[in-house]
C-alpha cells in the first residue's frame, strides 16, 4: 500500500526495539560515563549515545573547524563534537551555569583534549550569540531553553557559513510534540521551530529519531 505523504505509521514493538538498539550502538568510554554521572547528579539530561554519535558523524562530515554549542551541560555532547571535529578545531560552548562548564572542562581533559580545543563562555545564549562572528561556524548545536528556539535559530543562521549545519536536540519532547492533548508553551514553541525549519527556503532539513529527536538542517549556499 502506498504511504501517504505526512501520514504517520504505527510504531510497532519491533521498530521501538530497533530504535533502542541504534541509539545504543556506539560504546562510550570512561570519560563519557563520568560526565553522564555528573549530569545525573545535577538533574540534567545529557544527549543519548545515539544523539552523540550522530553529532560526531555530522561534525566529521562537515570537516568542522569551528563549532558553537548552546548548552554545555557536563560535557557529554561536547566530547562527541570534539571527537568529530578537525584536530585543530575549536568548540565554543555557552551555558548560563559556570559550575557546569567547570565539570565540562574536567570531562574534556579526561577525554584527552587539550585546553585550547574549547572556549567556554558563561551566559544566556541570546546574550552571547550576538557577539559571535557572522558566518564563522561550521556547525551550531542547540540544547538550551526551548522557549528561545526560534530566536536561537535566527542567530544560528547568521553564525553559519554556507553549507554549515544547525542541530536542535530534544524536539520530540518525550512524545509531547506530536501529542494532540494540550501542551505547555515550550512544546508549542518546538512545533513552531519544526515548522519554520521545514518550510525555510534557506535550509535543507531532516529529523533524526535518535535520543529525544535531533532536528538537523544545512544552510544552503
Amino acid at each position: 500500500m502506498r504511504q501517504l505523504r505526512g501520514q504517520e505509521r504505527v510504531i510497532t514493538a519491533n521498530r521501538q526495539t530497533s530504535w533502542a538498539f541504534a541509539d545504543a550502538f556506539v560504546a562510550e568510554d570512561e570519560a563519557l560515563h563520568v560526565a553522564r554521572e555528573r549530569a545525573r547528579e545535577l538533574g540534567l539530561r545529557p544527549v543519548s549515545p545515539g544523539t552523540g554519535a550522530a553529532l560526531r558523524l555530522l561534525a566529521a562530515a562537515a570537516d568542522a573547524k569551528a563549532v558553537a554549542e548552546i548548552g554545555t551541560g557536563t560535557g557529554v555532547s561536547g566530547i562527541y563534537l570534539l571527537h568529530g571535529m578537525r584536530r585543530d578545531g575549536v568548540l565554543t560552548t555557552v551555558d548560563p551555569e559556570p559550575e557546569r562548564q567547570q565539570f565540562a572542562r574536567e570531562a574534556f581533559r579526561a577525554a584527552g583534549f587539550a585546553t585550547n580545543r574549547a572556549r567556554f563562555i558563561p551566559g544566556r545564549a541570546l546574550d552571547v550569540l550576538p557577539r559571535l562572528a557572522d558566518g564563522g561556524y561550521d556547525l551550531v548545536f542547540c540544547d538550551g531553553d526551548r522557549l528561545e528556539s526560534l530566536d536561537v535559530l535566527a542567530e544560528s543562521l547568521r553564525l553559519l557559513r554556507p553549507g554549515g549545519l544547525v542541530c536542535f536536540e530534544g524536539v520530540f519532547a518525550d512524545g509531547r510534540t506530536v501529542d494532540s492533548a494540550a501542551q505547555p508553551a515550550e512544546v508549542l514553541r518546538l512545533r513552531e521551530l519544526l515548522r519554520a525549519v521545514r518550510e525555510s527556503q534557506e535550509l535543507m532539513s531532516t529529523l533524526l529519531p535518535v535520543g529525544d529527536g535531533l532536528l538537523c538542517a544545512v544552510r544552503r549556499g
Side-chain angles (χ1 to χ4, degrees), residues 77 102 185:
S77 53
Q102 182 56 41

Side-chain angles (χ1 to χ4, degrees), residues 172-192:
F172 289 166
D174 294 317
R176 292 177 296 165
T177 302
V178 296
D179 192 333
S180 60
Q183 298 296 337
E186 65 175 21
V187 175
L188 300 181
R189 189 56 54 89
L190 284 176
R191 290 175 181 171
E192 294 175 7

Side-chain angles (χ1 to χ4, degrees), residues 143-163:
D143 190 14
D145 187 342
R146 291 168 175 169
L147 291 174
E148 298 177 346
S149 296
L150 289 174
D151 293 324
V152 167
L153 173 63
E155 285 294 332
S156 298
L157 294 182
R158 180 185 62 79
L159 296 178
L160 286 174
R161 63 167 173 79

Side-chain angles (χ1 to χ4, degrees), residues 61-121:
D63 194 28
K65 183 176 181 179
V67 173
E69 177 186 47
I70 298 154
T72 308
T74 57
V76 175
S77 53
I79 289 175
Y80 275 108
L81 287 166
L82 284 165
H83 275 305
M85 295 169 64
R86 291 169 43 170
R87 293 183 181 275
D88 60 345
V90 176
L91 173 69
T92 298
T93 183
V94 180
D95 198 285
E97 299 295 336
E99 179 189 14
R100 298 175 189 173
Q101 294 192 319
Q102 182 56 41
F103 286 138
R105 280 191 181 90
E106 296 170 7
F108 294 171
R109 186 164 53 248
F113 297 109
T115 56
N116 63 357
R117 292 292 310 279
R119 176 172 61 148
F120 295 88
I121 305 178

Side-chain angles (χ1 to χ4, degrees), residues 15-27 48-54 209-211:
R15 289 183 71 190
Q16 288 179 324
T17 301
S18 297
W19 285 345
F21 174 76
D23 208 43
F25 179 70
V26 176
S48 73
T51 300
V210 292

